[in-house]
Amino acid sequence: MSDTKRHLENKEPEPVAKALAGTLEAPVLHHRPRRKRQKVQAPPPVPKRPRQCHFLLIGKNKYCSLTTKLGNKFCGEHSMHEVTTTSTVDSTVAEESGDNVEGKSVRKRIPCPFDPSHTAWADDLKTHLYKCNARPRDNPAQFSLNVNLTLSRPSQPTEVNQSTALEGITGTPQTTSGTRSDLLSTLTDEQLLALIKKVQDMYTKHVPEFRTLILDHPALDERKKIVKNIKHAHQQASLLGHMQRLKMLDDPTACYIEFGAGRGELSNYLKIAVDDHGTATFILVDRTPARNKFDNAILGLEEIKTLVKRHTMDIKDLILAEIPELRRDVTATQREPPIKKDCMNEPYKDIDKKPVVAMSKHLCGGATDLTLKCLTSYHQSEREKSPSPSLVKGILIALCCHQLCHHYMYPNQEFLKEIDISPKEFVYLTRMSSWAVCVNSTKSENSSGPSSTSSDSLIAEDDEHNVGTGKELEELGSHLPTLDFQARERLGQQCKRLLDIGRVRYLQEHGFDAELVYYVDKETSLENLALMAGCTRLFERQFWLLTSPRRHWVDKNCLNWAKSYFETNLSEISAEDNGSTVKTLVVTSVTGDVDVNQRKGKIITIFDVAITLTFEGTTNNGIAVTGKIDIPEVAHDTEPEDYVFYVDIDGDNSSKQPIRDLIRTKLSDELRKKLAIFADDLIRVHGKDVQVESDFSQHSTPAPSTPSSSSPAPTVPKSTITTTGAVNTTTLEESVELQASAHDVYDVLLNQAKVQAWTRSNSTIEPKVGSKFSFFGGNVSGEIKELVENKKIVQSWRLGSWPADHHSTVTMEFSQSTDSTTIKFKQEGVPVGEQDITRQNWNNYYWAEIKRTFGYVRLSSSSIAAVSSQSAPSPSNKKRRHRRAVEKKAASGGGAMGLYTGAGLAVLTAFALGFWFSKK
């Protein structure tokens, strides 16, 4: 039975019932109105082409070019303007949906209750509602209403929050510029000038200089050749160049998410840049479907199509962790997550996720804030599940339209409190930010001739930033007679950068390296700043330390020492210039991480701290000045000249400006000198506590090449670095059991021939007190200190990678039972940090090799005797006779041979070893 008939038998779904009853809420329309000025023109003549739609497009001053049905004046898109009559309509329908005209019922087309952008016949509305593509569907798992809002959305517009009143039903800002301009005009000149002064002071205090870095990428080369207006191509090429610079394109299995994707054009060229051959995933997020999409182009021409998924959803409602395409088991060939019986209720729990790279070109206003909140929430939720590295590998957003930001969406509310911006002032701030791109005012202020059209056309060509009209700017100019256009533009830029630096700090607080970069020049786009971020290398290092094998890595937390270090070395630093003096007082705060590590013979310092210190000074006019200096990032991967200093002066005013200038020019240089030697001092003090060890390389020693040898030569450390000074040490203790007699265990550790067999190297040892030994090509060495036959061995023992002249003391006591011998092992004096690798060396290269070479059998030499030739050669006697012959030859110095008996089969390795040593 078709869906269009099912409603005749079953109860109508809730959306259909509400639509028929007229109680359905107004539908969501995500269309931002254009505000281009319309020219008054005479209407064009009636179209002469046969069956052309007669609907006049006012904005374009032409008739719709679509074709109509035979006998109709309007196309399907504009058929609601058609008046159709029919004589076959039921009288009841005629009464409800039309007027009777001379016995005929007039059919009407009405807007669809689900989506007014299209129409339906009034007398067939019920059938249409069932098959309408705009019918509300059940919300997917990744939908949660307003989940990414920082604060609760104001329910009613207030006098101070007029921006809320300008929004549509979904929270989409409606950019009716006149109303927002009127909001500023409600301020008196004194109030407005005071607000401007606050913005300028906060900008000077918190916003550093941003670098300009314009890059290119070959993925856009072909497009630049065929398009007339290449400004968008230049922007996209620079963004892709930055993604390549930040290594966002290196992982061919990553998931690239374009927020505010529109047609998906940026993702299309990103697909070319990645050249993933179907292994990457592309997710396009936009709240409305777009025409002329690039989705099919992103699929690629390969046999295995790239996984491309478009999610039509508002970012404010998006839970990134619930998107199924982020799962690693959802691929180009497996496009739906496999459902397992044991996880049907929680199909997305504890599933490996793909690394995420988020990007957007000109993500307007509050959408940027919602995106940052969405990404950081995903980053935090995944970290809480497991100590894994951040799945958000990169963020790149070209910023724009700050006038569309909203206080309840802005993620860094703490920063707004720090700069003392109230919700009311936030609205004023966003409105003033539009002055930075209202270049049309140059026409009225600087020129009235044809030369002014270049700047006017620059912004007119870019609909993304058409935020003001000439009339509005004239009103602003009359309201601010003391500010010319250049001053208003500069103030607008300052408002934008204040909002942007708060976003940067928000990302930094959540574990990202974030920066703002001018990625194109102003001639290409007035909105030429991009926010770029990646997970901090410090966080990735910390994850590696927590999860990787500790064989080659030892670390020490030195944060408390660093606090004392900075308190001592950053106090009482002074500078003087032109009669003004300033001096640091005390360090009030040191937060972050400071670690010293060694990996494969290298000492590595990993630190990232924020420092706050107080200062006092005196201007050349004798004015006393106090305040604090914030250094937000002192890191191992940041050069001292890149350190940023934020100066906060108590009771700041223009008379205290010389102290601020002195700190930025002179005192900051002195602080940089002190900070530059921190890493060296950190290593000097704490380097001895993390053992310096050289690279572990395969050390090959002369060994026979036999097909029966199943274990390779041991990998042993080889040292090229030594340290001096005191070494912090620890003690290892454990118990080892071998199925052999105490005599045989004692002998296998001291008999040179047997030692060469299980070390598989030209090792040297002599079983007497005072003799020195050397195993594994000199990587293990020492001296025998005490011997009690079959009872005890005491040695001085060291690895070649240990600090020079440092030895540990190894004590081995043997306790024999009826079928095995237990070795009580104790090693004193192991350097801190080396205990794990030392224990592994004993287990892997001593005990395991002894068992592997001589087998899990008793090695009693006292049982070695001549076996009567008249003995019956039973299979067991043959094995026993063969083993005794092997040990007899080893005891006589003729060679060392091994025997595997775990499965009752003799291994030929011993014969090869015996032959090789006999040749020696």
Side-chain angles (χ1 to χ4, degrees):
M1 183 182 295
S2 65
D3 289 340
T4 58
K5 302 295 183 181
R6 186 174 290 114
H7 68 273
L8 299 177
E9 299 180 5
N10 302 329
K11 184 179 179 181
E12 291 89 353
E14 184 178 357
V16 175
K18 287 185 177 180
L20 293 174
T23 59
L24 186 71
E25 293 184 4
V28 176
L29 291 179
H30 298 293
H31 301 296
R32 191 173 63 182
R34 303 290 187 183
R35 298 192 316 281
K36 293 183 178 178
R37 286 172 290 177
Q38 307 296 335
K39 297 180 181 179
V40 179
Q41 300 179 5
V46 176
K48 298 180 180 180
R49 180 167 62 84
R51 297 175 60 185
Q52 181 180 351
C53 180
H54 281 57
F55 183 82
L56 179 62
L57 303 174
I58 303 298
K60 297 182 178 180
N61 196 37
K62 68 176 185 178
Y63 287 96
C64 173
S65 60
L66 298 180
T67 303
T68 68
K69 287 184 177 181
L70 188 63
N72 290 354
K73 291 181 60 177
F74 297 95
C75 65
E77 185 73 17
H78 304 111
S79 58
M80 64 182 300
H81 302 282
E82 192 83 42
V83 178
T84 304
T85 61
T86 178
S87 59
T88 61
V89 180
D90 184 85
S91 60
T92 304
V93 175
E95 182 180 351
E96 294 179 354
S97 60
D99 299 329
N100 287 330
V101 180
E102 297 180 358
K104 295 184 178 180
S105 177
V106 179
R107 298 191 74 189
K108 290 184 179 180
R109 293 194 69 90
I110 61 175
C112 174
F114 293 144
D115 183 2
S117 65
H118 70 276
T119 62
W121 290 113
D123 59 349
D124 199 26
L125 177 62
K126 195 171 187 179
T127 300
H128 171 80
L129 293 177
Y130 273 91
K131 62 183 181 181
C132 179
N133 291 329
R135 190 177 77 184
R137 305 287 191 244
D138 292 336
N139 291 326
Q142 59 267 23
F143 177 90
S144 180
L145 184 63
N146 296 334
V147 68
N148 292 320
L149 294 184
T150 304
L151 302 175
S152 298
R153 180 183 169 191
S155 57
Q156 296 293 334
T158 61
E159 181 180 358
V160 301
N161 193 4
Q162 295 187 25
S163 62
T164 306
L166 304 177
E167 297 178 8
I169 297 171
T170 62
T172 306
Q174 304 296 319
T175 55
T176 307
S177 57
T179 305
R180 282 196 142 193
S181 177
D182 293 343
L183 184 64
L184 279 176
S185 64
T186 60
L187 297 175
T188 65
D189 289 347
E190 291 76 11
Q191 291 173 329
L192 187 56
L193 290 176
L195 178 61
I196 292 174
K197 179 63 166 56
K198 176 187 283 190
V199 170
Q200 292 173 336
D201 291 344
M202 293 299 102
Y203 175 85
T204 303
K205 178 180 178 181
H206 294 283
V207 180
E209 293 292 330
F210 306 128
R211 59 174 173 162
T212 300
L213 186 57
I214 302 174
L215 302 179
D216 197 3
H217 198 281
L220 275 297
D221 289 348
E222 292 299 323
R223 189 193 179 207
K224 293 177 183 177
K225 297 177 183 178
I226 61 176
V227 295
K228 181 178 179 181
N229 186 356
I230 64 172
K231 65 173 186 173
H232 292 294
H234 283 311
Q235 295 175 55
Q236 291 163 346
S238 184
L239 291 176
L240 291 182
H242 280 285
M243 294 181 73
Q244 187 175 46
R245 174 181 67 88
L246 298 172
K247 303 186 183 304
M248 297 182 188
L249 309 182
D250 290 355
D251 190 347
T253 65
C255 180
Y256 297 94
I257 305 179
E258 183 177 0
F259 289 88
R263 298 167 59 206
E265 189 172 3
L266 180 59
S267 293
N268 176 54
Y269 294 107
L270 177 61
K271 160 73 175 179
I272 300 174
V274 173
D275 191 21
D276 64 306
H277 300 288
T279 58
T281 302
F282 291 85
I283 295 178
L284 309 177
V285 179
D286 207 307
R287 59 188 177 184
T288 56
R291 295 181 178 180
N292 303 319
K293 298 187 289 286
F294 283 86
D295 298 28
N296 290 334
I298 302 173
L299 289 173
L301 302 177
E302 296 87 355
E303 182 177 354
I304 299 178
K305 302 299 184 182
T306 299
L307 178 57
V308 181
K309 180 65 176 178
R310 180 178 287 269
H311 289 278
T312 304
M313 183 179 297
D314 200 314
I315 303 172
K316 71 183 179 65
D317 306 322
L318 178 63
I319 303 178
L320 205 59
E322 298 296 334
I323 293 181
E325 289 76 23
L326 290 182
R327 294 167 44 132
R328 285 200 178 273
D329 55 1
V330 178
T331 63
T333 55
Q334 175 68 44
R335 294 177 178 266
E336 294 294 334
I339 299 179
K340 301 178 181 179
K341 294 182 179 180
D342 57 347
C343 61
M344 291 183 65
N345 294 329
E346 297 180 352
Y348 306 120
K349 185 177 180 181
D350 298 331
I351 300 294
D352 287 343
K353 301 291 184 64
K354 303 169 186 174
V356 169
V357 175
M359 75 282 187
S360 181
K361 176 181 175 290
H362 289 156
L363 191 60
C364 293
T368 296
D369 299 323
L370 296 173
T371 299
L372 297 182
K373 188 67 182 296
C374 179
L375 291 169
T376 53
S377 297
Y378 175 63
H379 168 75
Q380 186 173 358
S381 66
E382 293 302 315
R383 286 184 60 181
E384 291 174 353
K385 292 179 181 178
S386 63
S388 59
S390 174
L391 289 176
V392 182
K393 297 300 181 182
I395 302 172
L396 190 145
I397 299 175
L399 306 169
C400 76
C401 300
H402 296 70
Q403 73 277 4
L404 304 182
C405 293
H406 296 271
H407 182 266
Y408 62 89
M409 294 182 182
Y410 192 73
N412 198 346
Q413 296 289 326
E414 293 300 323
F415 177 72
L416 295 181
K417 294 178 182 178
E418 182 180 350
I419 63 177
D420 193 24
I421 294 295
S422 66
K424 180 178 180 179
E425 291 172 327
F426 185 89
V427 179
Y428 301 145
L429 189 73
T430 58
R431 181 59 203 139
M432 290 191 295
S433 69
S434 65
W435 297 350
V437 292
C438 292
V439 299
N440 291 345
S441 62
T442 55
K443 182 182 297 185
S444 60
E445 291 191 0
N446 298 336
S447 173
S448 59
S451 61
S452 64
T453 59
S454 60
S455 60
D456 186 43
S457 62
L458 173 66
I459 195 64
E461 290 178 358
D462 195 346
D463 292 337
E464 294 171 312
H465 314 299
N466 192 7
V467 297
T469 64
K471 181 179 178 181
E472 175 188 349
L473 291 169
E474 290 176 2
E475 292 176 356
L476 292 174
S478 62
H479 188 57
L480 296 171
T482 58
L483 292 176
D484 58 10
F485 163 71
Q486 287 78 14
R488 293 200 300 274
E489 181 185 23
R490 185 165 55 251
L491 181 61
Q493 290 287 354
Q494 292 174 347
C495 294
K496 283 177 173 286
R497 300 297 82 88
L498 268 178
L499 296 175
D500 292 337
I501 202 66
R503 292 164 170 169
V504 169
R505 291 193 180 186
Y506 175 76
L507 289 175
Q508 290 173 345
E509 292 169 0
H510 285 79
F512 291 90
D513 280 328
E515 63 174 337
L516 294 167
V517 176
Y518 290 107
Y519 69 101
V520 290
D521 53 35
K522 292 188 66 174
E523 286 69 26
T524 301
S525 175
L526 294 175
E527 299 279 17
N528 61 338
L529 191 71
L531 173 61
M532 307 176 187
C535 193
T536 60
R537 285 183 288 274
L538 178 64
F539 173 75
E540 298 288 357
R541 291 283 191 180
Q542 289 174 335
F543 162 75
W544 198 96
L545 290 173
L546 290 172
T547 60
S548 63
R550 306 299 291 235
R551 174 166 178 161
H552 308 314
W553 191 291
V554 182
D555 64 282
K556 181 180 180 181
N557 187 339
C558 304
L559 179 60
N560 291 332
W561 176 87
K563 292 179 180 179
S564 300
Y565 177 90
F566 290 129
E567 289 171 358
T568 302
N569 290 275
L570 298 185
S571 302
E572 304 297 326
I573 299 176
S574 59
E576 182 178 355
D577 186 40
N578 294 330
S580 298
T581 60
V582 65
K583 178 179 67 173
T584 61
L585 297 177
V586 295
V587 174
T588 58
S589 173
V590 177
T591 58
D593 300 277
V594 180
D595 292 324
V596 177
N597 312 276
Q598 70 83 20
R599 182 171 183 258
K600 294 186 177 181
K602 287 185 178 180
I603 290 185
I604 301 173
T605 59
I606 300 178
F607 56 89
D608 189 349
V609 296
I611 304 173
T612 301
L613 54 121
T614 59
F615 69 88
E616 64 178 7
T618 305
T619 66
N620 52 7
N621 296 327
I623 299 176
V625 181
T626 59
K628 67 176 182 178
I629 301 173
D630 290 319
I631 313 174
E633 183 181 35
V634 176
H636 63 280
D637 54 358
T638 305
E639 297 297 329
E641 56 267 22
D642 294 331
Y643 291 157
V644 178
F645 299 86
Y646 296 116
V647 182
D648 185 8
I649 295 178
D650 298 335
D652 195 7
N653 56 54
S654 58
S655 63
K656 300 179 181 180
Q657 185 62 30
I659 296 299
R660 185 187 301 275
D661 297 337
L662 179 58
I663 293 174
R664 290 186 170 180
T665 56
K666 297 291 184 68
L667 186 64
S668 61
D669 291 340
E670 297 299 321
L671 293 172
R672 286 189 176 96
K673 293 177 182 178
K674 295 291 185 179
L675 296 173
I677 62 175
F678 171 67
D680 293 336
D681 290 344
L682 184 61
I683 293 176
R684 178 178 54 81
V685 175
H686 297 281
K688 61 182 174 57
D689 293 337
V690 290
Q691 178 55 42
V692 182
E693 178 190 335
S694 65
D695 288 336
F696 271 58
S697 58
Q698 292 290 336
H699 179 75
S700 300
T701 58
S705 178
T706 63
S708 60
S709 180
S710 60
S711 58
T715 303
V716 290
K718 194 170 185 176
S719 175
T720 57
I721 303 175
T722 59
T723 59
T724 58
V727 177
N728 296 333
T729 63
T730 187
T731 299
L732 298 181
E733 293 186 59
E734 60 181 81
S735 180
V736 181
E737 184 177 3
L738 297 176
Q739 291 184 343
S741 67
H743 172 83
D744 292 333
V745 175
Y746 181 88
D747 187 56
V748 84
L749 291 169
L750 297 174
N751 187 305
Q752 179 168 304
K754 293 184 178 182
V755 169
Q756 288 178 343
W758 60 262
T759 62
R760 304 189 185 187
S761 63
N762 193 18
S763 302
T764 60
I765 190 170
E766 187 176 356
K768 66 178 183 180
V769 176
S771 64
K772 298 184 182 299
F773 60 87
S774 176
F775 298 170
F776 306 112
N779 287 281
V780 173
S781 60
E783 181 181 346
I784 297 176
K785 298 295 186 180
E786 180 182 351
L787 291 176
V788 178
E789 187 173 2
N790 302 336
K791 296 290 186 181
K792 184 178 182 181
I793 299 176
V794 180
Q795 301 171 334
S796 66
W797 191 98
R798 64 173 269 107
L799 279 173
S801 60
W802 288 2
D805 300 326
H806 179 78
H807 289 75
S808 66
T809 300
V810 173
T811 302
M812 291 178 280
E813 297 179 343
F814 310 120
S815 176
Q816 181 175 331
S817 62
T818 56
D819 59 351
S820 63
T821 297
T822 301
I823 306 174
K824 293 183 178 179
F825 174 86
K826 183 177 182 180
Q827 185 172 12
E828 302 172 288
V830 178
V832 171
E834 280 294 291
Q835 56 268 36
D836 290 336
I837 186 174
T838 302
R839 182 181 290 108
Q840 291 175 8
N841 281 340
W842 280 100
N843 291 331
N844 296 337
Y845 301 136
Y846 272 72
W847 317 128
E849 288 300 324
I850 289 173
K851 295 176 182 179
R852 184 178 293 116
T853 302
F854 295 101
Y856 293 90
V857 297
R858 297 187 180 183
L859 303 177
S860 176
S861 59
S862 60
S863 63
I864 297 177
V867 180
S868 171
S869 60
Q870 290 83 13
S871 307
S874 64
S876 58
N877 286 338
K878 285 182 180 180
K879 294 178 184 178
R880 193 178 299 112
R881 188 178 302 167
H882 181 69
R883 174 178 54 79
R884 290 171 179 172
V886 170
E887 293 198 359
K888 183 176 181 180
K889 191 171 183 179
S892 63
M897 293 180 284
L899 181 65
Y900 289 93
T901 61
L905 298 176
V907 180
L908 298 177
T909 306
F911 292 105
L913 289 170
F915 174 79
W916 178 67
F917 282 118
S918 65
K919 293 296 184 182
K920 297 287 287 184

